[in-house]
């Protein structure tokens, strides 16, 4: 396209004093629609028609700005292409300022005048911008090819899409959940806020539904679907019930169909809860309170002490969200190993016994390592991540513990007594008022040193990043990746690695450090 001449398009561009939006050509009227600030582009429209339209709008209570500024929300032009107006706009703002929300055709203006109010904008009002002219975003399609830090420039969009993903997951609609998660991950890695749908052309993973949600937000400031989902009784009940440790979406759905919508109704019902669920109810408030990095560090100290005692030389690494640099999480995850292959066998029960003997555990369930390369190897799907010796636990963390003294008591302390305090009573403080400890979910995983890099990569997350790594391995490389191993189906061989970096190299991917795996 031939660039527009950067000529002074408007007589009013120079030497103007227009700081009142409505003082256009002498007309003064109260502004009725303060959220709409119109700018009429003189180019092709001509000065006299522009003056006439400005007066008309001002009389109808519209705010028309004579001079272009960052206040403008609606640019209206006549007979110009989207590219022309876009280019003109760049000349006004050095291309740096973000564009007004709407670049519109005269049809929007005339219809709004007729209606006596700013009418809803539809695609027919919007100037069509030639794809080659828009500043479009471009990102690779697999999340494991992208660097996604915790800095998110599109939180309004990603919050809405995450919520819809969550609702899909809570409804056991995995495919829909993944689709929303993928769309969300694409927006998370953009280095700027999205301001126009046209910028999204060519981006991967944005399905029709996600695009509809994004458009709704760009036009109306919020997604009506996300808002109504958030307020729905079903979503609230599913969230509440699956917030109980040990309760999945299937169980929650069954209870809801029986009319159980609250914890009170659950405890009042005759349902017998399993051990995990009972612990989940007992510690509901604590477990739904985010775990801080300071608390995670405090638990590290305890686990470290356990290891030094039961198997000197064993090491542990903080994994999960905290390894990715998150400041809070829903739990704390540790990966334990020993530099000597085989020395880790039988380690978990000893760690657990030690923790139990010191009163650090409110709940634990250990599963044995069931991974055997010979048996589970290539035939097993790579998605099986559950075969390490691992312990799901609930720690009892002293709030006055190392590094936590300065932390003030939480508002919810001491609550939840109506759920019964079977374990709590053991160390109820003298005053009976303030609980000196809190319950924290902790995951412990033990890996033999030979599998350590795979376990480290597989347990660092994010969940979507892991999913995408496995999809990449399968689709693009004919390989099968798990938290235990990487198998090359073409060469019919396992690819060994002593570091995460080597695994990325095997996969033909650039190394992405943990802090950039927040997809
Ligand atoms: N994971 C796994 N197998 C499971 C559960 C989790 O391999 N059965 C992995 C996930 O893929 C993730 C990591 O363990 O990479 C941590 O999971 P989780 O604690 O659920 O998520 P975080 O990313 O740590 O998020 P949060 O901070 O909320 O805990
Ligand atoms: Mn975690
Ligand atoms: Mn976890």
């Amino acid at each position: 396209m031939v660039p527009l001449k950067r000529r002074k398009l408007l007589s009013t561009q120079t030497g103007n004093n227009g700081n009142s939006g409505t003082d256009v050509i002498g007309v003064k009227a109260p502004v009725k629609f303060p959220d709409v600030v119109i700018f009429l582009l003189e180019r092709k429209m001509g000065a006299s028609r522009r003056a006439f339209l400005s007066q008309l709008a001002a009389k109808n209570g519209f705010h028309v700005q004579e001079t272009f500024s960052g206040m403008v929300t609606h640019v209206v032009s006549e007979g110009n292409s989207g590219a022309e107006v876009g280019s003109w706009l760049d000349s006004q703002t050095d291309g740096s300022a973000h564009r007004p929300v709407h670049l519109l055709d005269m049809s929007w203006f005339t219809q709004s005048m007729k209606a006596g109010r700013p009418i809803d904008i539809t695609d027919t009002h919007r100037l069509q911008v030639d794809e080659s002219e828009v500043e479009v975003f471009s990102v690779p399609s697999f999340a494991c090819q992208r660097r996604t830090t915790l800095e998110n420039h599109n939180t309004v969009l990603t919050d809405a899409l995450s919520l819809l993903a969550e609702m899909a997951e809570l409804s056991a609609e995995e495919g829909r959940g993944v689709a929303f998660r993928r769309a969300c991950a694409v927006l998370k890695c953009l280095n700027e806020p999205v301001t126009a749908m046209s910028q999204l052309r060519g981006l991967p993973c944005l399905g029709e539904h996600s695009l509809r949600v994004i458009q709704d937000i760009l036009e109306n400031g919020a997604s009506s679907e996300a808002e109504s989902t958030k307020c729905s009784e079903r979503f609230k009940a599913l969230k509440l019930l699956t917030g109980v440790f040990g309760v999945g979406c299937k169980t929650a759905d069954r209870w809801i169909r029986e009319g159980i919508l609250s914890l009170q109704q659950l405890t009042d019902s005759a349902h017998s809860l399993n051990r995990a669920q009972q612990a989940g109810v007992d510690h509901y408030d604590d477990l739904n309170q985010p775990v801080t990095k300071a608390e995670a560090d405090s638990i590290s100290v305890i686990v470290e002490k356990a290891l030094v005692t039961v198997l000197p030389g064993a090491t542990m690494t903080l994994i999960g969200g905290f390894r990715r640099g998150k400041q809070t999480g829903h739990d704390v995850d540790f990966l334990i190993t020993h530099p000597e292959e085989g020395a880790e066998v039988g380690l978990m029960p000893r760690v657990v016994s030690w923790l139990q003997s010191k009163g650090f555990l409110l709940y634990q369930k250990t599963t044995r390592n069931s991974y055997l390369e010979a048996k589970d190897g290539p035939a097993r799907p790579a998605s099986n991540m559950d075969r390490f010796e691992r312990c799901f636990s609930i720690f009892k963390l002293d709030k006055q513990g190392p590094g936590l003294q300065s932390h003030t008591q939480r508002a919810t302390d001491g609550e939840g007594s109506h759920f019964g305090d079977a374990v709590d009573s053991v160390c109820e403080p003298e005053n009976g008022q303030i609980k000196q400890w809190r319950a924290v979910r902790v995951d412990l995983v033990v890996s033999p040193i030979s599998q350590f890099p795979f376990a480290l990569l597989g347990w660092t997350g994010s969940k979507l990043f892991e999913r995408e790594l496995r999809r990449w391995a399968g689709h693009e490389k004919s390989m099968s990746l798990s938290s235990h191993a990487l198998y090359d189906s073409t060469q019919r061989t396992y690819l060994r690695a002593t570091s995460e970096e080597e695994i990325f190299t095997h996969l033909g991917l650039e190394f992405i450090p943990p802090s950039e795996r927040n997809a």
Side-chain angles (χ1 to χ4, degrees), residues 385-399:
M385 309 271 286
D386 252 339
R387 325 196 101 234
F388 283 115
E389 193 168 27
R390 97 177 245 197
C391 176
F392 299 99
S393 73
I394 300 176
F395 264 56
K396 178 174 178 176
L397 181 64
D398 185 355
K399 287 181 184 169

Side-chain angles (χ1 to χ4, degrees), residues 330-333 441 443 459:
H330 93 284
D331 68 357
V332 192
D333 309 281
R441 273 273 298 113
D443 281 341
W459 283 83

